[in-house]
Amino acid sequence: MARQKRKASEALDPILKAGKALKVGDLAEELISAIGGTAEFARLYAEELQDGTKPGSVARARMLDGILRLVTNASAQNKSMARTEDEMEDEELAEIARELLGRSTSSSPQSSGTA
């Protein structure tokens, strides 16, 4: 009995459906965990960048670009998490002011007390 040919779209349908259910954040978390955690991932990435790619190569440029995008995203995420002054309690603002004043007086030159 001859097997009936399926269209490419029919053959890809189960894969596409599975992809829609996939949560990229969960996948990334599982991959990092399987590698040994974030510190191990960072070590492997840095090792590959330094030893596995040639200076000026497309691969190295892409890896460096990936780091730049990661840092940019992390900075934007941290910035959005910061609270503005109008969202802080009075005691929080007072603590920040004390810290800043403490830094400015400790970093200014001390007078020797002689005239």
Side-chain angles (χ1 to χ4, degrees), residues 6 8-22:
R6 295 192 312 175
S9 61
E10 291 172 351
L12 292 175
D13 194 45
I15 297 169
L16 294 173
K17 285 180 180 173
K20 289 177 184 173
L22 180 69

PDB file of all heavy atoms in Angstrom, residues 6 8-22:
ATOM      1  N   ARG A   6       2.266  13.864   2.717  1.00  0.00           N
ATOM      2  CA  ARG A   6       1.678  14.972   3.469  1.00  0.00           C
ATOM      3  C   ARG A   6       2.329  16.262   3.023  1.00  0.00           C
ATOM      4  O   ARG A   6       3.475  16.287   2.587  1.00  0.00           O
ATOM      5  CB  ARG A   6       1.921  14.797   4.971  1.00  0.00           C
ATOM      6  CG  ARG A   6       1.223  13.602   5.540  1.00  0.00           C
ATOM      7  CD  ARG A   6       1.217  13.562   7.035  1.00  0.00           C
ATOM      8  NE  ARG A   6       2.514  13.805   7.646  1.00  0.00           N
ATOM      9  CZ  ARG A   6       2.719  13.907   8.946  1.00  0.00           C
ATOM     10  NH1 ARG A   6       1.703  13.771   9.775  1.00  0.00           N
ATOM     11  NH2 ARG A   6       3.908  14.117   9.438  1.00  0.00           N
ATOM     12  N   ALA A   8       4.117  19.848   3.588  1.00  0.00           N
ATOM     13  CA  ALA A   8       5.140  20.281   4.548  1.00  0.00           C
ATOM     14  C   ALA A   8       4.495  20.961   5.753  1.00  0.00           C
ATOM     15  O   ALA A   8       4.918  20.759   6.895  1.00  0.00           O
ATOM     16  CB  ALA A   8       6.132  21.219   3.874  1.00  0.00           C
ATOM     17  N   SER A   9       3.471  21.762   5.525  1.00  0.00           N
ATOM     18  CA  SER A   9       2.815  22.462   6.635  1.00  0.00           C
ATOM     19  C   SER A   9       2.174  21.478   7.608  1.00  0.00           C
ATOM     20  O   SER A   9       2.157  21.708   8.816  1.00  0.00           O
ATOM     21  CB  SER A   9       1.771  23.445   6.107  1.00  0.00           C
ATOM     22  OG  SER A   9       0.766  22.752   5.389  1.00  0.00           O
ATOM     23  N   GLU A  10       1.662  20.352   7.098  1.00  0.00           N
ATOM     24  CA  GLU A  10       1.075  19.338   7.967  1.00  0.00           C
ATOM     25  C   GLU A  10       2.147  18.636   8.790  1.00  0.00           C
ATOM     26  O   GLU A  10       1.944  18.329   9.963  1.00  0.00           O
ATOM     27  CB  GLU A  10       0.300  18.307   7.146  1.00  0.00           C
ATOM     28  CG  GLU A  10      -0.953  18.853   6.506  1.00  0.00           C
ATOM     29  CD  GLU A  10      -1.588  17.863   5.540  1.00  0.00           C
ATOM     30  OE1 GLU A  10      -0.967  16.813   5.243  1.00  0.00           O
ATOM     31  OE2 GLU A  10      -2.701  18.141   5.084  1.00  0.00           O
ATOM     32  N   ALA A  11       3.295  18.411   8.177  1.00  0.00           N
ATOM     33  CA  ALA A  11       4.393  17.752   8.885  1.00  0.00           C
ATOM     34  C   ALA A  11       4.967  18.652   9.972  1.00  0.00           C
ATOM     35  O   ALA A  11       5.383  18.177  11.021  1.00  0.00           O
ATOM     36  CB  ALA A  11       5.488  17.362   7.893  1.00  0.00           C
ATOM     37  N   LEU A  12       4.997  19.955   9.728  1.00  0.00           N
ATOM     38  CA  LEU A  12       5.563  20.907  10.693  1.00  0.00           C
ATOM     39  C   LEU A  12       4.577  21.311  11.780  1.00  0.00           C
ATOM     40  O   LEU A  12       4.977  21.876  12.791  1.00  0.00           O
ATOM     41  CB  LEU A  12       6.057  22.162   9.967  1.00  0.00           C
ATOM     42  CG  LEU A  12       7.262  21.977   9.064  1.00  0.00           C
ATOM     43  CD1 LEU A  12       7.558  23.265   8.310  1.00  0.00           C
ATOM     44  CD2 LEU A  12       8.472  21.541   9.861  1.00  0.00           C
ATOM     45  N   ASP A  13       3.306  21.027  11.589  1.00  0.00           N
ATOM     46  CA  ASP A  13       2.277  21.465  12.526  1.00  0.00           C
ATOM     47  C   ASP A  13       2.543  21.045  13.969  1.00  0.00           C
ATOM     48  O   ASP A  13       2.457  21.872  14.875  1.00  0.00           O
ATOM     49  CB  ASP A  13       0.901  20.983  12.060  1.00  0.00           C
ATOM     50  CG  ASP A  13      -0.220  21.678  12.797  1.00  0.00           C
ATOM     51  OD1 ASP A  13      -0.150  22.916  12.944  1.00  0.00           O
ATOM     52  OD2 ASP A  13      -1.153  20.974  13.232  1.00  0.00           O
ATOM     53  N   PRO A  14       2.896  19.790  14.260  1.00  0.00           N
ATOM     54  CA  PRO A  14       3.164  19.418  15.661  1.00  0.00           C
ATOM     55  C   PRO A  14       4.341  20.198  16.256  1.00  0.00           C
ATOM     56  O   PRO A  14       4.322  20.549  17.429  1.00  0.00           O
ATOM     57  CB  PRO A  14       3.493  17.924  15.585  1.00  0.00           C
ATOM     58  CG  PRO A  14       2.951  17.456  14.287  1.00  0.00           C
ATOM     59  CD  PRO A  14       2.966  18.633  13.375  1.00  0.00           C
ATOM     60  N   ILE A  15       5.345  20.462  15.448  1.00  0.00           N
ATOM     61  CA  ILE A  15       6.509  21.210  15.925  1.00  0.00           C
ATOM     62  C   ILE A  15       6.115  22.647  16.236  1.00  0.00           C
ATOM     63  O   ILE A  15       6.507  23.203  17.271  1.00  0.00           O
ATOM     64  CB  ILE A  15       7.651  21.170  14.876  1.00  0.00           C
ATOM     65  CG1 ILE A  15       8.119  19.724  14.689  1.00  0.00           C
ATOM     66  CG2 ILE A  15       8.803  22.086  15.274  1.00  0.00           C
ATOM     67  CD1 ILE A  15       9.030  19.518  13.514  1.00  0.00           C
ATOM     68  N   LEU A  16       5.339  23.255  15.352  1.00  0.00           N
ATOM     69  CA  LEU A  16       4.906  24.636  15.573  1.00  0.00           C
ATOM     70  C   LEU A  16       4.025  24.747  16.812  1.00  0.00           C
ATOM     71  O   LEU A  16       4.153  25.697  17.584  1.00  0.00           O
ATOM     72  CB  LEU A  16       4.173  25.166  14.341  1.00  0.00           C
ATOM     73  CG  LEU A  16       5.023  25.311  13.079  1.00  0.00           C
ATOM     74  CD1 LEU A  16       4.148  25.688  11.892  1.00  0.00           C
ATOM     75  CD2 LEU A  16       6.120  26.335  13.288  1.00  0.00           C
ATOM     76  N   LYS A  17       3.145  23.786  17.016  1.00  0.00           N
ATOM     77  CA  LYS A  17       2.283  23.802  18.206  1.00  0.00           C
ATOM     78  C   LYS A  17       3.113  23.669  19.480  1.00  0.00           C
ATOM     79  O   LYS A  17       2.847  24.328  20.476  1.00  0.00           O
ATOM     80  CB  LYS A  17       1.228  22.698  18.126  1.00  0.00           C
ATOM     81  CG  LYS A  17       0.115  23.003  17.159  1.00  0.00           C
ATOM     82  CD  LYS A  17      -0.908  21.891  17.123  1.00  0.00           C
ATOM     83  CE  LYS A  17      -2.011  22.224  16.129  1.00  0.00           C
ATOM     84  NZ  LYS A  17      -2.939  21.122  15.940  1.00  0.00           N
ATOM     85  N   ALA A  18       4.113  22.804  19.448  1.00  0.00           N
ATOM     86  CA  ALA A  18       4.983  22.634  20.620  1.00  0.00           C
ATOM     87  C   ALA A  18       5.755  23.917  20.893  1.00  0.00           C
ATOM     88  O   ALA A  18       5.951  24.303  22.047  1.00  0.00           O
ATOM     89  CB  ALA A  18       5.942  21.473  20.397  1.00  0.00           C
ATOM     90  N   GLY A  19       6.191  24.582  19.851  1.00  0.00           N
ATOM     91  CA  GLY A  19       6.936  25.833  20.004  1.00  0.00           C
ATOM     92  C   GLY A  19       6.106  26.929  20.632  1.00  0.00           C
ATOM     93  O   GLY A  19       6.609  27.734  21.411  1.00  0.00           O
ATOM     94  N   LYS A  20       4.838  26.968  20.335  1.00  0.00           N
ATOM     95  CA  LYS A  20       3.960  27.985  20.909  1.00  0.00           C
ATOM     96  C   LYS A  20       3.786  27.779  22.414  1.00  0.00           C
ATOM     97  O   LYS A  20       3.608  28.717  23.161  1.00  0.00           O
ATOM     98  CB  LYS A  20       2.604  27.980  20.214  1.00  0.00           C
ATOM     99  CG  LYS A  20       2.654  28.528  18.803  1.00  0.00           C
ATOM    100  CD  LYS A  20       1.319  28.441  18.118  1.00  0.00           C
ATOM    101  CE  LYS A  20       1.430  28.895  16.677  1.00  0.00           C
ATOM    102  NZ  LYS A  20       0.191  28.683  15.927  1.00  0.00           N
ATOM    103  N   ALA A  21       3.845  26.525  22.836  1.00  0.00           N
ATOM    104  CA  ALA A  21       3.679  26.221  24.255  1.00  0.00           C
ATOM    105  C   ALA A  21       4.978  26.418  25.034  1.00  0.00           C
ATOM    106  O   ALA A  21       4.961  26.487  26.250  1.00  0.00           O
ATOM    107  CB  ALA A  21       3.190  24.782  24.417  1.00  0.00           C
ATOM    108  N   LEU A  22       6.080  26.533  24.331  1.00  0.00           N
ATOM    109  CA  LEU A  22       7.383  26.661  24.964  1.00  0.00           C
ATOM    110  C   LEU A  22       7.558  28.059  25.565  1.00  0.00           C
ATOM    111  O   LEU A  22       7.306  29.057  24.902  1.00  0.00           O
ATOM    112  CB  LEU A  22       8.484  26.419  23.918  1.00  0.00           C
ATOM    113  CG  LEU A  22       9.905  26.505  24.396  1.00  0.00           C
ATOM    114  CD1 LEU A  22      10.228  25.339  25.308  1.00  0.00           C
ATOM    115  CD2 LEU A  22      10.844  26.509  23.217  1.00  0.00           C
TER     116      LEU A  22
END
